[in-house]
Amino acid sequence: FEMADYRVAQESFEKMRLVAPSRTAGLEVYSTNLWHLKEEVALCYLAQQAVEMDKRSPEAWCVIGNCFSLQKEHDVAIKFFQRALQLDPNFTYAYTLSGHEYVSNEDFEKAVACYRHAIRTDSRHYNAWYGLGTIYYRQEKYELAEYHFRRALAINSRSSVLYCYLGMVLHESRKYEVALKMLQYATELEPANPQAKFQRANVLRTMECYEAALEELMSVRDSAPREASVHFLMGKICKQLGRRDEAMIHFTTALDLDPKDSNMIKLSIDKLDSSDIDEEDDL
């Protein structure tokens, strides 16, 4: 689970349920695993079972909260996580899950309060350090973001996601070589993670290493062929290399895959013959 291998984790959780069907400890993590897998039916069934087993356990209410979170009912999910905290004010995970829901609602002030409360109850709860890092990254407070991602990595050094986010922060801080190193760690930990390679391509493009950036993107395209942002970035890099025809192919592919961003893509197509780079325009 901590390595984001959710299918394998699901098998282990299912074995746990067979061995100890009345055990509630760990169900909150199992429900988060199902949330990542978008297993809505399995998650709803687990919520029903958890309440039947022990409706006074904080784990049960966290499972229900995750069920509503998956349905994007964030306010309802928060109420259930708060119910878990009423039952056990020191249940660290419920604070973090509440923080995630507040982030989804873009209520960053309350999210920060939840994550900080989680850290006060358990200073080694890396998820809360990660949560704070993501907020500071979105707020462009890159030094704070770097600090919190490094604190999270000091606790969970096997997380590809954490290394990926740290690499993204270092990229924004113009620490390009270190950013590439962190993103390489992310890829080594989870070779199937396309996001790490995509972010490496972004860094390489900033460094004007266009051929190397394209090589990374081709690998990402092979694993995620229907990701419009990959084709869009490939088109921009081909334009920078003067490969107009290839750029047009990538832009039109991106347009086919993601019509909702058609205005931005069409603008890039219209500017194919111009010399401007459009650095800030990304899908």
Side-chain angles (χ1 to χ4, degrees), residues 13-25 27 30 46 49-50 52-54:
F13 282 121
E14 288 173 352
K15 289 177 183 176
M16 178 193 80
R17 299 276 292 130
L18 288 172
V19 173
S22 60
R23 175 190 170 101
T24 58
L27 291 185
Y30 182 22
L46 181 65
Q49 287 185 308
E52 289 175 355
M53 282 190 289
D54 186 1

Side-chain angles (χ1 to χ4, degrees), residues 112 116 132-149 169 172-173:
V112 166
R116 286 178 176 166
L132 287 168
T134 58
I135 289 175
Y136 292 132
Y137 175 72
R138 291 177 66 169
Q139 294 176 336
E140 299 184 6
K141 299 176 181 177
Y142 299 125
E143 286 188 14
L144 278 171
E146 180 181 348
Y147 169 78
H148 285 85
F149 285 133
V169 169
E172 296 295 342
S173 301

Side-chain angles (χ1 to χ4, degrees), residues 185-196:
Y185 286 155
T187 301
E188 289 171 1
L189 286 168
E190 190 182 348
N193 180 2
Q195 181 66 10

Side-chain angles (χ1 to χ4, degrees), residues 4-277:
D5 196 343
Y6 300 120
R7 285 296 174 193
V8 175
Q10 184 180 15
E11 295 174 5
S12 297
F13 282 121
E14 288 173 352
K15 289 177 183 176
M16 178 193 80
R17 299 276 292 130
L18 288 172
V19 173
S22 60
R23 175 190 170 101
T24 58
L27 291 185
E28 74 284 6
V29 182
Y30 182 22
S31 69
T32 299
N33 194 84
L34 292 173
W35 185 97
H36 282 294
L37 293 171
K38 311 300 180 191
E39 296 279 1
E40 188 172 336
V41 174
L43 183 50
C44 289
Y45 181 61
L46 181 65
Q48 180 183 345
Q49 287 185 308
V51 172
E52 289 175 355
M53 282 190 289
D54 186 1
K55 65 181 179 180
R56 294 194 59 79
S57 71
E59 293 89 351
W61 296 100
C62 283
V63 176
I64 299 172
N66 269 333
C67 189
F68 280 96
S69 173
L70 185 56
Q71 298 169 28
K72 300 190 184 303
E73 297 281 350
H74 303 300
D75 292 330
V76 179
I78 289 169
K79 290 180 181 178
F80 285 114
F81 296 141
Q82 294 303 310
R83 174 58 178 157
L85 290 168
Q86 288 175 351
L87 293 168
D88 184 355
N90 292 316
F91 197 70
T92 305
Y93 202 47
Y95 287 113
T96 295
L97 292 174
S98 296
H100 293 340
E101 298 307 304
Y102 281 123
V103 168
S104 295
N105 284 341
E106 297 195 350
D107 190 340
F108 299 127
E109 185 176 348
K110 287 183 179 178
V112 166
C114 287
Y115 291 139
R116 286 178 176 166
H117 209 131
I119 291 168
R120 280 196 293 272
T121 58
D122 181 3
S123 63
R124 290 191 57 78
H125 188 64
Y126 84 89
N127 311 71
W129 291 105
Y130 159 77
L132 287 168
T134 58
I135 289 175
Y136 292 132
Y137 175 72
R138 291 177 66 169
Q139 294 176 336
E140 299 184 6
K141 299 176 181 177
Y142 299 125
E143 286 188 14
L144 278 171
E146 180 181 348
Y147 169 78
H148 285 85
F149 285 133
R150 288 192 183 278
R151 286 296 299 264
L153 276 166
I155 300 164
N156 181 10
S157 61
R158 301 291 298 171
S159 171
S160 175
V161 173
L162 288 175
Y163 275 113
C164 191
Y165 265 100
L166 180 56
M168 291 161 62
V169 169
L170 292 167
H171 179 199
E172 296 295 342
S173 301
R174 302 179 185 276
K175 301 174 183 176
Y176 304 134
E177 294 294 344
V178 188
L180 287 174
K181 191 174 182 180
M182 295 301 109
L183 292 166
Q184 183 59 36
Y185 286 155
T187 301
E188 289 171 1
L189 286 168
E190 190 182 348
N193 180 2
Q195 181 66 10
K197 291 182 179 180
F198 181 77
Q199 294 302 331
R200 272 182 61 85
N202 269 317
V203 178
L204 290 165
R205 179 187 174 220
T206 302
M207 297 171 69
E208 300 184 1
C209 299
Y210 300 127
E211 294 290 355
L214 269 181
E215 188 176 336
E216 292 283 356
L217 287 171
M218 283 189 280
S219 176
V220 178
R221 181 194 59 188
D222 292 342
S223 60
R226 298 193 60 78
E227 187 58 52
S229 59
V230 176
H231 292 279
F232 185 65
L233 185 55
M234 291 179 78
K236 292 172 75 173
I237 293 173
C238 285
K239 176 187 173 181
Q240 289 169 296
L241 288 169
R243 303 177 189 172
R244 185 187 181 283
D245 292 343
E246 289 181 51
M248 178 64 80
I249 292 171
H250 290 303
F251 285 144
T252 53
T253 302
L255 188 60
D256 290 340
L257 292 172
D258 193 1
K260 74 177 188 296
D261 283 312
S262 60
N263 289 338
M264 187 182 297
I265 299 171
K266 286 177 181 177
L267 182 62
S268 295
I269 292 173
D270 292 339
K271 291 183 176 181
L272 261 179
D273 292 322
S274 66
S275 59
D276 62 302
I277 304 296

